[in-house]
Amino acid sequence: MITYNLFGRVFGTEAKKLVRKNDPDTSRESAALVDSGRLEGMVYEAIKKFGDKGCISDQIRAMYPNYPYSSITARYRALLDKGFIVDTGERRQGQSGRSQRVLKVETK
């Protein structure tokens, strides 16, 4: 795991937490290569830029058009579990026409 420390928040997830028990060995190898600390930090910083109004996934993904979908969206769960971001309960329409949750940085 590679960690990224920003203002006292430590980003990064152990590779074993990025795979399921029944995943093939190739998934485990790939998980070990993911720089989750850097990715979590990037997503956190992107969400933070939207301030109190928060943002939806489409807005975050638009900031990182050269990254695969899952490299960005997989970071939300870790950031939510760590209490770094919150789901506001609000929903906004995404580009697909479907509702997306509004996320924002937790300002404890």
Side-chain angles (χ1 to χ4, degrees):
M1 170 181 68
I2 299 172
T3 59
Y4 175 82
N5 191 326
L6 180 68
F7 305 115
R9 296 186 188 268
V10 178
F11 299 96
T13 302
E14 293 177 76
K16 69 180 183 179
K17 292 183 178 181
L18 299 175
V19 294
R20 295 177 215 83
K21 287 183 180 183
N22 296 330
D23 281 347
D25 58 337
T26 53
S27 293
R28 295 178 196 292
E29 290 170 6
S30 293
L33 298 174
V34 171
D35 187 349
S36 63
R38 183 177 60 81
L39 292 169
E40 286 176 21
M42 286 170 43
V43 171
Y44 174 86
E45 282 299 308
I47 294 170
K48 187 177 178 180
K49 288 179 181 179
F50 288 88
D52 288 337
K53 67 179 180 173
C55 61
I56 60 174
S57 185
D58 282 353
Q59 293 172 294
I60 300 304
R61 290 186 8 255
M63 296 173 77
Y64 301 107
N66 297 324
Y67 283 82
Y69 174 91
S70 62
S71 290
I72 300 304
T73 60
R75 305 310 132 208
Y76 305 145
R77 174 53 40 209
L79 293 171
L80 286 162
D81 289 349
K82 292 175 184 177
F84 294 172
I85 64 171
V86 294
D87 178 342
T88 66
E90 182 186 350
R91 302 296 182 253
R92 295 184 195 148
Q93 188 175 31
Q95 291 177 342
S96 68
R98 297 179 69 180
S99 294
Q100 294 182 7
R101 62 186 170 180
V102 176
L103 302 171
K104 71 176 193 174
V105 166
E106 176 58 67
T107 55
K108 293 179 184 177

